[in-house]
Amino acid sequence: GSIRQSKIESIIQSELGIYFQRNSSVCLGSMVTVTVVRVTSDLSLARCYVSIFGSKEKTEVFDSIQQNTSRIRGVVGKSLKNLRKIPALQFHIDDSLDYATKIDQLLKK
C-alpha cells in the first residue's frame, strides 16, 4: 500500500482503540483490541480486525460492535477531517491469538 494508506490505517486503528476504551457499553464490559486495520486502495473500505478478551460470549460483543458501526464510523471520521469520504468500517474477529494458544497447547502434549 501507499504511505497515505498506511497513515490512514494507523489513525483509524488508534481512534478505534480510544473509542473502545471509552465506550465500554459497546464492548459489553469486555476488552476489545484493534489488531490490524487494512484500507482498500481507493480508501472506501477499512477492514478492522478486533480481538475480544474477558468475555465468554465473543459473538455477543461482536454483534454489539456491528450494531454500532455507523456511530463508530462517525467518531473515527472526526479525526480524518482531511478526507473527502470516510471509509466504511467492516469488522472481523481476529482469532490469531486463540489459534496460537491452541497450537502451543498441542505442542506441549
Side-chain angles (χ1 to χ4, degrees):
S2 67
I3 295 172
R4 185 170 187 208
Q5 272 180 284
S6 300
K7 287 181 180 180
I8 292 171
E9 289 169 353
S10 65
I11 291 170
I12 291 173
Q13 186 173 2
S14 65
E15 287 298 317
L16 286 174
I18 293 168
Y19 180 84
F20 289 137
Q21 280 180 341
R22 292 185 180 160
N23 299 304
S24 61
S25 62
V26 172
C27 304
L28 305 176
S30 300
M31 186 176 104
V32 176
T33 305
V34 182
T35 54
V36 179
V37 174
R38 295 284 176 241
V39 177
T40 57
S41 58
D42 62 352
L43 306 177
S44 65
L45 178 67
R47 290 184 184 91
C48 309
Y49 294 87
V50 294
S51 291
I52 301 168
F53 302 102
S55 173
K56 295 185 178 169
E57 288 299 322
K58 292 182 180 184
T59 54
E60 288 180 16
V61 177
F62 187 70
D63 289 343
S64 174
I65 292 170
Q66 293 276 44
Q67 291 170 357
N68 290 295
T69 300
S70 60
R71 184 180 312 148
I72 296 169
R73 183 179 180 212
V75 171
V76 169
K78 290 179 183 175
S79 64
L80 296 170
K81 296 173 187 166
N82 58 346
L83 285 182
R84 199 175 299 154
K85 184 180 176 196
I86 307 305
L89 300 179
Q90 190 178 67
F91 290 99
H92 302 278
I93 293 180
D94 183 10
D95 55 359
S96 60
L97 285 175
D98 295 336
Y99 182 73
T101 305
K102 185 177 176 183
I103 295 294
D104 192 42
Q105 288 174 349
L106 289 172
L107 289 174
K108 286 182 181 177
K109 288 183 180 178

